[in-house]
Amino acid sequence: MIEKLQELKNEYQKIEQDLQDPEITKDIQKLTALSKKQAKLKPAVTFYERYHELQAELANTKELLEDEELGGLAIDEEKRLISELEKLEAEIKIFLIPKDAHDERNVIMEIRGAAGGDEANIFAGDLYRMYFKYAENQNWQIEMLNAEEGNAGGYTLVQFLIKGNDVYSHLKYESGAHRVQRVPTTETQGRVHTSTATVLVMPEAEDTDVEINQQDLRIDVFRSSGAGGQSVNTTDSAIRITHLPSGIVVNCQNERSQIRNKEKAMQMLKAKLYEKMEAEKQEKEGAERKSKLGSGDRSEKIRTYNFPQNRITDHRINLTLKKLDHVLEGDLNEIIDALIMEDNQKHLKAINE
């Protein structure tokens, strides 16, 4: 563990030297890449130096144990230092867990109303608002890609891009079926109904991730329409792209410009193709997928939102909070932090095995 930190510290110092090279300072792209890499390695240097400081302090304290006057104080100090070292070692192990290659990427989220008709669509709208609020709290940017409104409100389908720092690392656990239990506004007898909406979180694909042959695409142009089929645009600007080899279909009708709709549709198509490639790759690797927190499958029920009891439960980690009202306002930190911690523990267990 400490040898690995030493390697990372050496790499950090090498980058520090490179950043003083006049040739590199002229190359903005290389300079930015090296600066980012150095920032990622900085915690390794801090951990390494703190570990050796504590080891030195502990060695000095052990020498004082034989001292008649200071021995009593030294025992307490030894206990404190050992406790601090154990805590530091646990933090180092978490830090050294191999990072998900997609953690720093932006994400494309897709929310669909599923079982429950109008109520499911309304709930899909509630989830969209929740993630929108959470993204705002994180100082991330949200860009609507496609929205198909439900007749009674909410969305049958809503797709949007979230841009910012480490977005995927926080939202990658949200894929799956989200279940709501509440009394719908249309319910006259006060009965609680159960409905579901599905969430899919995809890392934004880079141009080099997916190669798309234009001959594999069928592009259809049609007139945009809103809830109930009413036209929201008098021109044929909406775009539907079908990727013939995979059968994946994407639509975009939110922009008035046909060109912008096509750009956004291609952005979604790349993300879906990349997500499909990654899923197939993980399926082959098998063991890695088993070590992950949840399968990412939209059919997997991951969370229940119970309105009558103001309760939210994440079934993967058996976490229940009586603060649904706060969560729906974007206060997702407690749940997401718990999911990250559980995922780290799973990885540590897999490494130790």
Side-chain angles (χ1 to χ4, degrees):
M1 183 177 70
I2 303 307
E3 286 177 4
K4 181 62 180 175
L5 286 181
Q6 175 72 66
E7 289 175 17
L8 296 175
K9 182 184 177 183
N10 293 342
E11 192 177 349
Y12 177 90
Q13 292 172 334
K14 173 68 168 57
I15 292 173
E16 207 165 36
Q17 292 175 353
D18 290 342
L19 288 173
Q20 296 173 16
D21 185 336
E23 291 301 314
I24 288 178
T25 55
K26 292 176 187 175
D27 188 334
I28 299 299
Q29 193 171 357
K30 186 175 279 189
L31 183 67
T32 302
L34 282 173
S35 297
K36 283 185 177 180
K37 192 171 184 181
Q38 187 188 42
K40 285 185 200 172
L41 292 170
K42 178 65 176 174
V45 177
T46 304
F47 279 135
Y48 180 84
E49 291 174 350
R50 182 57 183 152
Y51 181 83
H52 283 285
E53 283 174 9
L54 287 172
Q55 287 282 19
E57 287 179 40
L58 187 59
N60 292 334
T61 301
K62 285 182 182 296
E63 290 180 7
L64 294 174
L65 289 173
E66 303 301 322
D67 190 292
E68 290 183 7
E69 293 183 8
L70 301 174
L73 293 173
I75 290 173
D76 292 337
E77 181 65 5
E78 183 187 37
K79 287 179 181 177
R80 184 190 71 80
L81 289 170
I82 289 173
S83 174
E84 197 168 337
L85 261 173
E86 288 174 351
K87 184 180 176 184
L88 183 66
E89 286 173 358
E91 290 176 4
I92 292 171
K93 284 178 182 177
I94 297 288
F95 174 75
L96 292 177
I97 291 173
K99 300 294 184 289
D100 187 324
H102 304 129
D103 275 354
E104 296 180 7
R105 295 200 184 194
N106 301 326
V107 306
I108 290 178
M109 291 192 79
E110 177 180 287
I111 305 174
R112 292 177 182 270
D118 287 341
E119 175 62 13
N121 296 337
I122 293 169
F123 179 49
D126 293 337
L127 290 177
Y128 168 69
R129 182 178 179 276
M130 178 183 77
Y131 291 122
F132 189 98
K133 290 275 189 182
Y134 176 69
E136 280 189 330
N137 294 341
Q138 300 295 119
N139 294 316
W140 295 336
Q141 295 177 311
I142 304 98
E143 181 182 337
M144 181 66 79
L145 297 176
N146 186 45
E148 298 172 17
E149 297 177 2
N151 292 319
Y155 300 99
T156 58
L157 170 66
V158 58
Q159 296 158 307
F160 51 102
L161 171 69
I162 302 181
K163 296 190 281 188
N165 294 325
D166 302 322
V167 181
Y168 187 76
S169 70
H170 288 77
L171 292 176
K172 61 184 175 183
Y173 309 105
E174 296 303 298
S175 288
H178 295 239
R179 181 175 70 173
V180 62
Q181 295 171 329
R182 65 180 170 190
V183 179
T185 53
T186 54
E187 170 59 53
T188 57
Q189 298 181 27
R191 290 175 299 186
V192 174
H193 287 225
T194 299
S195 305
T196 58
T198 60
V199 175
L200 178 62
V201 179
M202 300 171 285
E204 184 184 26
E206 297 174 357
D207 289 338
T208 54
D209 291 330
V210 181
E211 188 175 332
I212 298 177
N213 188 334
Q214 293 298 314
Q215 294 179 341
D216 291 337
L217 303 180
R218 185 176 73 233
I219 300 176
D220 300 309
V221 180
F222 59 99
R223 187 158 297 180
S224 303
S225 62
Q230 70 268 28
S231 176
V232 294
N233 198 336
T234 55
T235 60
D236 292 338
S237 60
I239 294 290
R240 178 186 298 110
I241 301 178
T242 304
H243 184 252
L244 299 173
S246 67
I248 292 174
V249 179
V250 293
N251 297 305
C252 189
Q253 59 178 4
N254 279 68
E255 301 288 340
R256 293 191 174 274
S257 160
Q258 188 182 117
I259 293 173
R260 282 291 292 140
N261 279 331
K262 185 179 179 183
E263 287 174 356
K264 288 187 174 184
M266 284 298 294
Q267 194 175 16
M268 285 189 284
L269 178 61
K270 285 179 183 178
K272 281 179 174 285
L273 286 170
Y274 185 59
E275 195 267 342
K276 185 173 182 291
M277 284 167 48
E278 287 296 295
E280 290 170 353
K281 179 183 171 185
Q282 288 172 11
E283 208 62 50
K284 287 180 183 176
E285 292 170 354
E288 181 189 342
R289 192 164 181 83
K290 284 178 185 175
S291 71
K292 292 197 169 189
L293 184 62
S295 65
D297 192 325
R298 275 190 289 192
S299 64
E300 179 189 13
K301 184 184 71 178
I302 65 167
R303 199 173 291 152
T304 294
Y305 302 70
N306 185 292
F307 277 71
Q309 298 176 23
N310 195 35
R311 168 172 56 82
I312 183 165
T313 300
D314 195 290
H315 303 289
R316 295 163 296 179
I317 55 175
N318 296 318
L319 174 68
T320 295
L321 303 173
K322 290 291 187 80
K323 52 189 292 187
L324 176 57
D325 52 344
H326 293 285
V327 171
L328 290 173
E329 288 299 316
D331 185 8
L332 278 161
N333 289 323
E334 190 171 350
I335 295 174
I336 287 175
D337 287 348
L339 288 164
I340 291 172
M341 187 179 297
E342 178 68 17
D343 201 27
N344 284 336
Q345 293 303 319
K346 276 181 170 286
H347 278 92
L348 282 175
K349 185 178 177 182
I351 290 169
N352 292 331
E353 288 175 352

